Amino acid sequence: MTSDLGEAEAQAMAGLALAQWGGTRQTPRLVKNRENVVFEALLTGGEHVALRLHRPGYQSRAGIESELGWTARLAAAGFGVPRPVVTASGGLTAVAGGRVASCVGWLEGEPIGDSATPLAGSAAEQGALFHDLGALIGGLHVATDATGLPEPFDRPAWDERGLLGDEPLWGKFWENPALSDDERALILEVRGQAARELADLRAGGADYGAIHADVMRENVLRRDGGLALIDFDDSGRGFRLYDLGTALVQSLEEPNLPLLAASLLAGYRTRRPLGAADAALLPLFVLLRCLASAGWIMTRAAPGDARRRHYVERALRLGRHYLAGTAPWQGAESRV
């Protein structure tokens, strides 16, 4: 979704915001003008930063500061995330033009890909990448458990309510107008069964804690020394397997999908235990991201936009696999 700010207005707002970090040596460079507006800037004191002008109405100022408090702990522990940069008065955030603003240290690197471009490289290279990606996610969870979270931690809950409740975090996906009546009935069946399974998982002590919740290719940077993780805008508490599901969802059309899924799990296991029963739940958590995205797209694409139908068809395909007990990377075999 494109931001409602024009470039000139965004630049003016960035100047107001950056003044609270002591100002800049040069005009900030607009990097992204979407839901959050992001600038690259060089502060007067010499710090290279990314300025974020946060979209109104998504995360509260307290929530943004909770995110930054978490990533500050991760960065201090040596994990590859942007380090928050405080204002001249020592705050984590500021307000400019009615938007909350924050600055984090600029991370050099290139995204490992995007949703519009097939993965590059040989099968072996793709497998190695997803092994590293799984290790990155496992390392995030290990580092989070070791360092703890700031209190309060005012972030969304990616639980059975946040994903499948009456008011999901990303919208009522079953109301997507691209669904036919029969398709909506199938999605509602999937929703009901998945909600019961998630409730049982929580009651049974499923691995649950702080998660990134949006491990998309564009949010993973390849840099000297390994991979790094950016854009914690959707982060919160949730099922840890949801991070693995979001990491795989853009690869559902890749010819090497079975290898990518296996490599992701193997990489995660180099950092953190993951038993066979939990690994068998990965298709469920890929499905959950597909359902959430079918809700998300409703407010980000106009009626008739082909992306609405694309997200719906993907959710339907994963839903059919889920009801059949299969994984999209295993055909008719068992989910295990």
Side-chain angles (χ1 to χ4, degrees), residues 111-125:
I112 62 171
D114 59 51
S115 59
T117 308
L119 278 177
S122 65
E125 289 168 333

Side-chain angles (χ1 to χ4, degrees), residues 108-110 221-228:
E108 296 291 349
E110 292 296 327
L221 299 185
R222 184 186 280 110
R223 27 192 337 255
D224 292 342
L227 300 181

Side-chain angles (χ1 to χ4, degrees), residues 164 173-175 179-196 287 290-291 309 311-324:
L164 299 169
F173 51 86
W174 58 91
E175 293 184 357
L179 288 163
S180 70
D181 289 344
D182 287 346
E183 290 169 342
R184 183 170 293 107
L186 186 146
I187 288 293
L188 287 171
E189 180 184 359
V190 168
R191 176 190 172 216
Q193 183 167 317
R196 290 188 292 273
L287 162 69
C290 290
L291 294 175
R309 184 62 196 174
Y311 281 111
V312 159
E313 289 178 352
R314 191 177 66 174
L316 288 165
R317 179 159 56 91
L318 270 290
R320 293 185 184 103
H321 274 290
Y322 176 65
L323 294 177

Side-chain angles (χ1 to χ4, degrees), residues 137 140-142 144-145 207-211 238-245 268 272 285:
I137 296 169
L140 170 69
H141 298 162
V142 168
T144 297
D145 290 344
D207 190 7
Y208 189 91
I211 59 173
F239 295 92
R240 289 290 179 53
L241 283 165
Y242 190 64
D243 273 345
L244 292 168
Y268 189 87
R272 210 158 177 269
F285 286 91

